[in-house]
Amino acid sequence: PAVLTLSCASKSCRGVGRSTVLSAVRWGGRWETVPELLVIPGAGDGYRLVPQRLCKERVVLQVLHWFSKTHEDHRDKHACFLPPPLTRSAAIVCRKSEACAYSTFSAAGEGGWALATLHTIFVKASHRRHGCASQLLRGFYRPEGKGLPGDGGAGASLAVPSLELNEHLGIEPPVSDALVLTMAAIFSTAELSHILLLHSNTSLARADKCKTLLDHMRSKTALQATEANTPLRRIRGGREGMRRKPQPDGEGGKDKDKEREKEREEAGPAKA
């Protein structure tokens, strides 16, 4: 199935793109500008599974992909996401009923993936630091229901286990620094130890030997330049959830200094 689009060379168009701007999409018998198309009535700030058929949500998904592909923000130059096919499971997140982020994933046994695996997450630059990525991560790794969207979005034929059930789920590498920091902030070490860095066509027998996201976070190569004062640093030092209780001035000062010195030695030198 195909959807008509309207492009122009004017940078004043309210669309997406640089040299050629995607300015409007033909949908529902009329032309809708990109800002109009991204509005999903009644969506609020919700998490929505995208049906695996031609529908408005699936068209919105492709438009959001254009935002990642055209590098509207300089921070997206590393993004090389492939266009999500019609049969790829996906979800979108909205803010005030405007679609602003999406994720793609596969169920276990689907397309050569041994485990249910998260592939991509993208958030428009205008909506970052609004909890969109966290909402997409929780929607996949902590689903309220028990399944992925099936054909037509009617339900799932393959269950997605909750991490609380001591199951393993996957994430396709490479994992961006920003996503690593977000996952360090919202997931426990127990959960992170059950998320495997998984490639396509890895057998179920070999998946158990794959590196976990927790292993990746604790490796010396991950986020050396941006690790200071983040939950990732506590995870590396084995101090998840630990908080020092404030002490009155003059009480326990020497013990506090020793504790801080020990933590600095365990965490290693801070990076600028």
Short mmCIF file of all heavy atoms in Angstrom, two decimals, residues 142-175:
data_model
loop_
_atom_site.label_atom_id
_atom_site.label_comp_id
_atom_site.label_asym_id
_atom_site.label_seq_id
_atom_site.Cartn_x
_atom_site.Cartn_y
_atom_site.Cartn_z
N ARG A 142 7.88 -3.59 30.67
CA ARG A 142 6.92 -3.76 31.76
C ARG A 142 5.51 -3.59 31.22
O ARG A 142 4.79 -2.66 31.60
CB ARG A 142 7.16 -2.74 32.86
CG ARG A 142 8.49 -2.88 33.60
CD ARG A 142 8.65 -1.74 34.56
NE ARG A 142 9.88 -1.81 35.32
CZ ARG A 142 10.37 -0.82 36.05
NH1 ARG A 142 9.72 0.33 36.12
NH2 ARG A 142 11.50 -0.94 36.72
N PRO A 143 5.08 -4.44 30.32
CA PRO A 143 3.77 -4.25 29.68
C PRO A 143 2.63 -4.42 30.67
O PRO A 143 2.67 -5.28 31.54
CB PRO A 143 3.74 -5.35 28.61
CG PRO A 143 4.64 -6.41 29.15
CD PRO A 143 5.74 -5.69 29.89
N GLU A 144 1.62 -3.57 30.49
CA GLU A 144 0.42 -3.71 31.34
C GLU A 144 -0.36 -4.95 30.94
O GLU A 144 -0.93 -5.64 31.77
CB GLU A 144 -0.45 -2.47 31.20
CG GLU A 144 0.19 -1.21 31.78
CD GLU A 144 -0.72 -0.01 31.65
OE1 GLU A 144 -1.86 -0.19 31.18
OE2 GLU A 144 -0.30 1.10 32.01
N GLY A 145 -0.40 -5.23 29.62
CA GLY A 145 -1.05 -6.44 29.15
C GLY A 145 -0.05 -7.57 29.08
O GLY A 145 1.00 -7.54 29.70
N LYS A 146 -0.35 -8.59 28.29
CA LYS A 146 0.52 -9.75 28.20
C LYS A 146 0.95 -10.06 26.77
O LYS A 146 1.34 -11.16 26.48
CB LYS A 146 -0.16 -10.97 28.81
CG LYS A 146 -0.41 -10.85 30.31
CD LYS A 146 -1.01 -12.13 30.86
CE LYS A 146 -1.23 -12.01 32.37
NZ LYS A 146 -1.80 -13.26 32.94
N GLY A 147 0.84 -9.08 25.87
CA GLY A 147 1.21 -9.44 24.52
C GLY A 147 1.63 -8.29 23.65
O GLY A 147 1.48 -7.13 23.99
N LEU A 148 2.18 -8.66 22.51
CA LEU A 148 2.53 -7.72 21.47
C LEU A 148 1.36 -7.61 20.50
O LEU A 148 0.52 -8.50 20.41
CB LEU A 148 3.78 -8.21 20.71
CG LEU A 148 5.08 -8.18 21.50
CD1 LEU A 148 6.17 -8.90 20.73
CD2 LEU A 148 5.50 -6.76 21.75
N PRO A 149 1.32 -6.51 19.72
CA PRO A 149 0.23 -6.38 18.76
C PRO A 149 0.31 -7.42 17.67
O PRO A 149 1.37 -7.69 17.13
CB PRO A 149 0.43 -4.97 18.19
CG PRO A 149 1.88 -4.70 18.39
CD PRO A 149 2.25 -5.38 19.66
N GLY A 150 -0.81 -8.02 17.36
CA GLY A 150 -0.84 -8.97 16.26
C GLY A 150 -1.36 -8.30 15.01
O GLY A 150 -1.41 -7.07 14.90
N ASP A 151 -1.75 -9.07 14.02
CA ASP A 151 -2.26 -8.50 12.78
C ASP A 151 -3.47 -7.63 13.07
O ASP A 151 -4.41 -8.06 13.72
CB ASP A 151 -2.64 -9.61 11.80
CG ASP A 151 -1.41 -10.34 11.28
OD1 ASP A 151 -0.31 -9.76 11.37
OD2 ASP A 151 -1.55 -11.46 10.80
N GLY A 152 -3.43 -6.40 12.56
CA GLY A 152 -4.55 -5.51 12.77
C GLY A 152 -4.63 -4.94 14.17
O GLY A 152 -5.56 -4.25 14.52
N GLY A 153 -3.61 -5.24 15.00
CA GLY A 153 -3.61 -4.70 16.36
C GLY A 153 -4.66 -5.33 17.25
O GLY A 153 -5.00 -4.80 18.29
N ALA A 154 -5.15 -6.51 16.87
CA ALA A 154 -6.24 -7.12 17.62
C ALA A 154 -5.77 -7.86 18.86
O ALA A 154 -6.56 -8.28 19.68
CB ALA A 154 -7.01 -8.09 16.71
N GLY A 155 -4.46 -8.05 19.00
CA GLY A 155 -3.96 -8.79 20.15
C GLY A 155 -2.71 -9.53 19.79
O GLY A 155 -2.20 -9.40 18.70
N ALA A 156 -2.20 -10.30 20.72
CA ALA A 156 -0.92 -10.96 20.49
C ALA A 156 -1.09 -12.46 20.40
O ALA A 156 -1.93 -13.06 21.04
CB ALA A 156 0.03 -10.63 21.61
N SER A 157 -0.26 -13.05 19.55
CA SER A 157 -0.22 -14.51 19.48
C SER A 157 0.94 -15.04 20.31
O SER A 157 1.00 -16.21 20.62
CB SER A 157 -0.07 -14.97 18.03
OG SER A 157 1.09 -14.38 17.45
N LEU A 158 1.91 -14.14 20.65
CA LEU A 158 3.06 -14.53 21.45
C LEU A 158 3.14 -13.62 22.67
O LEU A 158 3.06 -12.41 22.56
CB LEU A 158 4.35 -14.40 20.62
CG LEU A 158 4.44 -15.35 19.40
CD1 LEU A 158 5.65 -15.00 18.57
CD2 LEU A 158 4.51 -16.79 19.87
N ALA A 159 3.29 -14.22 23.83
CA ALA A 159 3.28 -13.44 25.07
C ALA A 159 4.61 -12.75 25.29
O ALA A 159 5.66 -13.24 24.92
CB ALA A 159 2.98 -14.36 26.25
N VAL A 160 4.54 -11.59 25.91
CA VAL A 160 5.73 -10.86 26.34
C VAL A 160 5.83 -10.98 27.85
O VAL A 160 5.00 -10.43 28.56
CB VAL A 160 5.66 -9.37 25.96
CG1 VAL A 160 6.90 -8.64 26.47
CG2 VAL A 160 5.54 -9.21 24.47
N PRO A 161 6.80 -11.72 28.38
CA PRO A 161 6.87 -11.89 29.83
C PRO A 161 7.35 -10.63 30.51
O PRO A 161 8.15 -9.87 29.97
CB PRO A 161 7.90 -13.01 29.99
CG PRO A 161 8.76 -12.90 28.77
CD PRO A 161 7.85 -12.44 27.67
N SER A 162 6.85 -10.39 31.70
CA SER A 162 7.35 -9.29 32.52
C SER A 162 8.70 -9.69 33.08
O SER A 162 8.96 -10.85 33.37
CB SER A 162 6.37 -9.00 33.66
OG SER A 162 6.97 -8.17 34.61
N LEU A 163 9.58 -8.70 33.26
CA LEU A 163 10.88 -9.00 33.83
C LEU A 163 10.75 -9.50 35.26
O LEU A 163 11.65 -10.16 35.78
CB LEU A 163 11.76 -7.76 33.79
CG LEU A 163 12.17 -7.28 32.39
CD1 LEU A 163 13.10 -6.09 32.50
CD2 LEU A 163 12.83 -8.38 31.61
N GLU A 164 9.63 -9.20 35.90
CA GLU A 164 9.43 -9.67 37.27
C GLU A 164 9.25 -11.19 37.31
O GLU A 164 9.37 -11.81 38.35
CB GLU A 164 8.21 -8.99 37.88
CG GLU A 164 8.39 -7.47 38.02
CD GLU A 164 7.14 -6.80 38.54
OE1 GLU A 164 6.15 -7.51 38.75
OE2 GLU A 164 7.16 -5.58 38.75
N LEU A 165 8.98 -11.80 36.16
CA LEU A 165 8.77 -13.24 36.11
C LEU A 165 10.07 -13.98 35.83
O LEU A 165 10.08 -15.15 35.47
CB LEU A 165 7.74 -13.58 35.03
CG LEU A 165 6.36 -12.94 35.22
CD1 LEU A 165 5.42 -13.35 34.10
CD2 LEU A 165 5.77 -13.35 36.57
N ASN A 166 11.20 -13.27 35.99
CA ASN A 166 12.52 -13.88 35.84
C ASN A 166 12.76 -14.41 34.43
O ASN A 166 13.40 -15.42 34.24
CB ASN A 166 12.73 -15.00 36.87
CG ASN A 166 14.20 -15.31 37.08
OD1 ASN A 166 15.03 -14.41 36.99
ND2 ASN A 166 14.52 -16.55 37.36
N GLU A 167 12.21 -13.72 33.45
CA GLU A 167 12.42 -14.09 32.06
C GLU A 167 13.44 -13.15 31.44
O GLU A 167 13.83 -12.15 32.01
CB GLU A 167 11.09 -14.00 31.29
CG GLU A 167 10.02 -14.95 31.79
CD GLU A 167 10.28 -16.39 31.40
OE1 GLU A 167 11.18 -16.61 30.55
OE2 GLU A 167 9.61 -17.28 31.94
N HIS A 168 13.89 -13.52 30.25
CA HIS A 168 14.83 -12.69 29.53
C HIS A 168 14.17 -12.06 28.31
O HIS A 168 13.39 -12.71 27.62
CB HIS A 168 16.05 -13.51 29.07
CG HIS A 168 16.98 -13.88 30.18
ND1 HIS A 168 16.81 -14.99 30.95
CD2 HIS A 168 18.08 -13.25 30.66
CE1 HIS A 168 17.78 -15.07 31.85
NE2 HIS A 168 18.56 -14.01 31.70
N LEU A 169 14.50 -10.80 28.07
CA LEU A 169 14.09 -10.08 26.88
C LEU A 169 15.35 -9.51 26.23
O LEU A 169 16.42 -9.47 26.84
CB LEU A 169 13.11 -8.96 27.21
CG LEU A 169 11.79 -9.39 27.85
CD1 LEU A 169 10.96 -8.16 28.23
CD2 LEU A 169 10.99 -10.28 26.93
N GLY A 170 15.24 -9.06 24.99
CA GLY A 170 16.41 -8.59 24.27
C GLY A 170 16.34 -7.13 23.91
O GLY A 170 15.27 -6.50 23.93
N ILE A 171 17.50 -6.58 23.56
CA ILE A 171 17.60 -5.26 22.96
C ILE A 171 18.66 -5.36 21.88
O ILE A 171 19.72 -5.96 22.09
CB ILE A 171 17.94 -4.17 24.01
CG1 ILE A 171 17.88 -2.79 23.36
CG2 ILE A 171 19.30 -4.41 24.65
CD1 ILE A 171 17.91 -1.64 24.37
N GLU A 172 18.37 -4.81 20.71
CA GLU A 172 19.29 -4.94 19.59
C GLU A 172 20.38 -3.87 19.69
O GLU A 172 20.09 -2.68 19.75
CB GLU A 172 18.54 -4.80 18.26
CG GLU A 172 19.44 -4.99 17.04
CD GLU A 172 18.69 -4.80 15.75
OE1 GLU A 172 17.51 -4.41 15.78
OE2 GLU A 172 19.29 -5.04 14.68
N PRO A 173 21.66 -4.26 19.71
CA PRO A 173 22.74 -3.27 19.72
C PRO A 173 22.96 -2.69 18.32
O PRO A 173 22.52 -3.29 17.33
CB PRO A 173 23.96 -4.09 20.18
CG PRO A 173 23.64 -5.50 19.78
CD PRO A 173 22.15 -5.64 19.82
N PRO A 174 23.62 -1.51 18.26
CA PRO A 174 24.20 -0.75 19.37
C PRO A 174 23.13 0.02 20.14
O PRO A 174 22.11 0.40 19.58
CB PRO A 174 25.16 0.21 18.67
CG PRO A 174 24.55 0.43 17.31
CD PRO A 174 23.92 -0.88 16.94
N VAL A 175 23.39 0.25 21.42
CA VAL A 175 22.48 1.00 22.29
C VAL A 175 23.11 2.37 22.53
O VAL A 175 24.25 2.46 22.99
CB VAL A 175 22.25 0.27 23.63
CG1 VAL A 175 21.22 1.02 24.46
CG2 VAL A 175 21.81 -1.16 23.38
#
